[in-house]
Amino acid sequence: MTSATGAAGKIFQFQDVKFSPDALFEVKPECLQPSPAPIVVDNGSFQTRAGWACSGAELSGPSVLFRSVAARSRGAARSETQVGNDIPNLEPLRWLLKSQFDRNVVVNFEIQELMLDYIFVHLGIGTEGHVEHPLVLTEAPCNPLHCRQMMSELLFECYGVPQVAYGVDSLFSFYSNNTQCGLKPPHTGLVISSGYHCSHVLPFINGRLDAFNCKRINIGGSHTAAYMQRLLQLKYPAHQAAITPSRMEELLHHHCYVAVDYQQELEKWRSAEFYEEEVHRMQLPFSGKVAGAFASVEERQEKRVQQLRRLEELNNRHREEKLQQDQEKLDTLLAVQELLEEGAVEQFHRRLMELNMDSAEELQSYIHKLSLSVEQHRLARAEIIELEQPMDEGDGVNQIEADLGDESTEPEKAGNIQPVFNMAEYHQLFVGTERLRAPEVLFRPSLIGEEQMGLIETLQFVLEQYSPEQQAMLAENVFLTGGNLLYPGVKDRVERELLAMRPFQSHFKVSLTSHPALDAWFGARDWALRNPVGSEGWINRQDYEEKGGEYLSEHWASNIFIPMRISKPTQRANEVSLSSTEQSQDVNTATSLDIDVIPDSDGGTLEALMS
């Protein structure tokens, strides 16, 4: 982000990043020996990150990072679909963009398959028909069983992966940061996560997720970007086309902050000095030269000369075309008159009817008029050629100066007048209170008309579900993660709200992950390195076939598996079913023996032989 600071304030340029296609990597030998290394995929709703769970500096981070979108025109072939970084600029194709997510849950598995194809191809997986590497995949908190079932079916049936492990992205980040801080498991804390589509408050007690008290807020980065776009478009209606979602996301990532005290911060912005010091001026691209605006005398004279020359050429062209048309009509009428002179009366009258004329006198009148017109055009053209003399540039300029009169002399008397209108400043967006108003949506969803609790209200509601002792344990480890919590001031805001919320002189601690957007991937990689394939948390194909696609092998960073229970018929229902079956068999037997069957009041049958 380039910026310039001066008396006018801070001026920043939009980066307008153009994405370039990802490189095609080759599988490293250490990823194949002694056994195929797991592939770690952080399946985020904003960005997908994929890499290897291997030791080594080259493989310590995600190899592939791309936006979780695909663009395909209606009716286009699958091979023509653009995925992730294959789309250089999202704005022209935004109406074609599709994601596999509905909020934070994967529902479009056709797009999900395209994302996995993109990952495997760019990681260098070249095996035909199957992927021989285990897979660690992140999923949403309290992910629906049907969504996990469809994902497992895709991985085992389509790609043939040997084993897969599911985990919650924010819990991977939570465990990884606790381990780096030296905290020994089992961990207890409160995880606050905010992503692109929604935010979560997740209580983590004794090393396991308490799924029954998890809460989700349908507010995320997409809502803050849309709110920022709405604010600036209302403020600058002339630049609505330039205020794009991509630029709003850039503003959020590099220029916005969270106010510790929202109302007090707004009061500061009322001060003119504070405004001039803190406002960020975003420079939009523009053309520096505008036609006809503040041109010098010489430029206006030159422009007038060029206009006169173009007008003269246009008039000459029209005269030539008119002369040619009149000459063609005159030749046609003279040819008809020759028919009369030669005695071809029938042909003469036939041609007169074709020309819509009634008599020879009318024909003669038209010939006379056209002859005069042609002669006048020829005389005018001859006079123009005789009067036209080679004129140098200076004569034309002097003549134009005489025509301009006072208009050309006034600027000379006034001297060099500087233009009052500044085109660069006209194409600037002054981002002031919007810098804190957009992120405030996380704490006050009512700003965008959402009837939901804010992040702090949800945090307080979750804490109230526990005993005072458990509340104290959770408050001792409040952890912030997620790409939508990159704003400066988030940690201070949560600490201030907790101070007002917790009892007097109670202790609490708020920590922010060092890499909110990438820590989930690093935590999943650490989990894969510490838990060998086949241990607790991994699902193989046999588990998938025997226990169903929705099956989840639980571990400390996973969801809680609650299987679907199918109610069994009661004992009384079994007895009634068996009795009705036996009765039906007795009826069939009696019918075959020509015996009348009379049902007994006790449920039995009375048989009477026919006489």
Side-chain angles (χ1 to χ4, degrees):
M1 179 66 64
T2 59
S3 64
T5 305
K10 302 175 183 178
I11 301 177
F12 298 86
Q13 300 285 341
F14 280 109
Q15 292 182 347
D16 290 336
V17 178
K18 298 295 187 294
F19 298 99
S20 57
D22 290 316
L24 298 176
F25 296 96
E26 294 183 358
V27 181
K28 301 288 184 181
E30 52 267 30
C31 297
L32 298 173
Q33 299 296 333
S35 61
I39 298 174
V40 180
V41 178
D42 180 13
N43 197 26
S45 56
F46 178 76
Q47 189 182 56
T48 301
R49 309 159 192 92
W52 298 97
C54 290
S55 57
E58 296 182 1
L59 302 174
S60 59
S63 303
V64 181
L65 297 91
F66 60 92
R67 285 289 297 269
S68 301
V69 291
R72 179 171 59 183
S73 302
R74 181 175 297 178
R78 181 185 176 90
S79 58
E80 298 177 3
T81 304
Q82 295 176 292
V83 178
N85 294 334
D86 289 342
I87 309 173
N89 188 6
L90 297 179
E91 295 308 322
L93 300 177
R94 188 164 289 276
W95 64 284
L96 288 175
L97 297 181
K98 296 180 181 179
S99 174
Q100 68 269 39
F101 288 91
D102 180 7
R103 292 191 177 96
N104 65 324
V105 177
V106 179
V107 295
N108 192 337
F109 286 90
E110 181 182 0
I111 303 299
Q112 182 63 60
E113 184 178 351
L114 293 175
M115 300 295 168
L116 293 174
D117 288 344
Y118 187 90
I119 292 172
F120 295 144
V121 168
H122 286 80
L123 287 180
I125 307 298
T127 52
E128 292 291 337
H130 71 285
V131 176
E132 60 183 7
H133 296 268
L135 190 67
V136 180
L137 188 68
T138 60
E139 63 178 9
C142 304
N143 192 35
L145 295 180
H146 173 71
C147 297
R148 186 183 302 121
Q149 178 184 4
M150 296 296 293
M151 183 68 75
S152 296
E153 181 178 344
L154 177 65
L155 295 175
F156 284 109
E157 301 294 346
C158 180
Y159 294 102
V161 297
Q163 299 200 45
V164 63
Y166 296 105
V168 180
D169 50 1
S170 53
L171 298 186
F172 278 133
S173 177
F174 177 66
Y175 191 86
S176 175
N177 281 266
N178 284 338
T179 305
Q180 293 177 5
C181 295
L183 299 178
K184 296 182 179 180
H187 300 146
T188 297
L190 202 59
V191 181
I192 300 177
S193 172
S194 184
Y196 189 60
H197 288 298
C198 56
S199 304
H200 293 89
V201 177
L202 309 176
F204 198 75
I205 298 177
N206 295 328
R208 296 308 301 270
L209 175 67
D210 184 6
F212 294 97
N213 289 316
C214 294
K215 297 299 174 184
R216 184 183 74 180
I217 313 169
N218 293 325
I219 299 294
S222 61
H223 301 84
T224 55
Y227 185 49
M228 173 70 81
Q229 185 180 22
R230 189 195 313 172
L231 291 175
L232 292 181
Q233 284 182 343
L234 289 173
K235 189 175 181 179
Y236 298 99
H239 301 310
Q240 288 196 10
I243 302 174
T244 61
S246 297
R247 287 176 175 170
M248 297 306 100
E249 291 170 1
E250 182 179 335
L251 280 179
L252 291 174
H253 295 161
H254 300 287
H255 298 274
C256 290
Y257 67 96
V258 171
V260 177
D261 189 328
Y262 182 64
Q263 295 298 335
Q264 183 179 358
E265 192 72 14
L266 286 179
E267 289 297 326
K268 292 181 180 179
W269 281 92
R270 293 180 180 273
S271 170
E273 294 79 7
F274 185 87
Y275 180 87
E276 289 296 330
E277 182 180 354
E278 296 297 331
V279 68
H280 285 195
R281 304 186 182 193
M282 306 304 301
Q283 184 66 62
L284 296 173
F286 69 99
S287 176
K289 187 174 181 61
V290 180
F294 311 110
S296 63
V297 176
E298 292 78 7
E299 291 176 345
R300 284 181 291 179
Q301 290 174 351
E302 180 65 24
K303 183 177 180 180
R304 181 70 65 85
V305 170
Q306 293 176 359
Q307 290 177 346
L308 291 175
R309 287 175 180 172
R310 285 196 298 268
L311 183 60
E312 185 178 358
E313 293 174 357
L314 186 62
N315 290 335
N316 291 337
R317 191 181 305 114
H318 286 320
R319 281 195 296 267
E320 291 295 332
E321 292 176 356
K322 178 67 174 172
L323 177 60
Q324 185 177 0
Q325 293 175 359
D326 290 346
Q327 185 63 49
E328 291 176 356
K329 292 180 181 179
L330 180 60
D331 294 341
T332 302
L333 297 180
L334 290 176
V336 175
Q337 188 179 19
E338 290 179 358
L339 292 176
L340 180 62
E341 294 175 355
E342 293 175 357
V345 181
E346 293 183 1
Q347 283 186 315
F348 174 74
H349 286 291
R350 192 182 305 115
R351 293 299 305 277
L352 281 181
M353 292 179 63
E354 293 175 357
L355 295 172
N356 199 18
M357 294 184 183
D358 297 330
S359 61
E361 290 78 7
E362 185 177 358
L363 174 65
Q364 188 64 33
S365 174
Y366 272 105
I367 290 176
H368 179 68
K369 291 179 181 179
L370 286 176
S371 299
L372 290 178
S373 177
V374 169
E375 187 65 25
Q376 289 176 359
H377 280 99
R378 287 177 177 174
L379 291 175
R381 183 174 62 177
E383 291 177 359
I384 292 174
I385 295 175
E386 291 177 0
L387 294 176
E388 212 173 41
Q389 298 294 335
M391 182 175 62
D392 58 0
E393 191 73 18
D395 295 336
V397 171
N398 293 333
Q399 185 176 359
I400 298 302
E401 287 179 353
D403 294 337
L404 291 175
D406 296 339
E407 181 183 359
S408 62
T409 57
E410 287 179 0
E412 295 176 0
K413 295 177 182 179
N416 294 328
I417 300 176
Q418 296 295 331
V420 178
F421 184 74
N422 191 335
M423 287 299 298
E425 186 172 335
Y426 175 75
H427 287 85
Q428 288 177 4
L429 305 180
F430 285 59
V431 185
T433 57
E434 295 83 7
R435 295 178 56 201
L436 66 147
R437 292 174 65 187
E440 189 66 20
V441 170
L442 280 172
F443 304 93
R444 303 186 183 196
S446 59
L447 293 175
I448 58 174
E450 292 287 342
E451 296 182 356
Q452 301 184 54
M453 291 191 297
L455 206 60
I456 300 302
E457 292 174 303
T458 308
L459 171 63
Q460 183 176 5
F461 179 83
V462 172
L463 284 175
E464 290 175 352
Q465 307 307 309
Y466 297 95
S467 63
E469 294 77 13
Q470 289 176 320
Q471 290 184 28
M473 294 174 60
L474 292 171
E476 284 290 340
N477 190 5
V478 178
F479 180 71
L480 308 179
T481 185
N484 196 38
L485 293 180
L486 287 168
Y487 309 110
V490 168
K491 182 174 178 291
D492 298 334
R493 174 68 174 270
V494 175
E495 287 178 343
R496 179 181 179 276
E497 299 289 351
L498 275 175
L499 181 62
M501 183 191 312
R502 298 294 298 148
F504 179 65
Q505 291 186 346
S506 62
H507 298 281
F508 61 86
K509 180 182 179 182
V510 179
S511 59
L512 177 65
T513 175
S514 55
H515 302 285
L518 294 177
D519 264 10
W521 187 90
F522 286 114
R525 173 181 175 272
D526 294 341
W527 181 90
L529 291 175
R530 293 173 181 172
N531 294 267
V533 177
S535 61
E536 181 184 7
W538 291 96
I539 306 170
N540 54 32
R541 189 174 184 88
Q542 182 179 358
D543 295 331
Y544 162 74
E545 293 176 348
E546 293 179 356
K547 303 175 183 178
E550 69 277 3
Y551 173 69
L552 173 66
S553 179
E554 296 182 7
H555 55 91
W556 49 260
S558 71
N559 281 303
I560 304 300
F561 177 56
I562 304 177
M564 294 183 294
R565 299 185 182 278
I566 302 176
S567 59
K568 297 181 180 180
T570 61
Q571 183 177 0
R572 177 60 181 169
N574 292 337
E575 293 176 355
V576 172
S577 177
L578 180 60
S579 176
S580 61
T581 303
E582 293 175 350
Q583 181 176 350
S584 176
Q585 292 176 353
D586 293 340
V587 171
N588 294 335
T589 304
T591 304
S592 62
L593 297 175
D594 294 333
I595 300 175
D596 290 337
V597 179
I598 303 174
D600 191 5
S601 59
D602 296 334
T605 56
L606 298 177
E607 301 176 358
L609 296 176
M610 295 182 63
S611 57

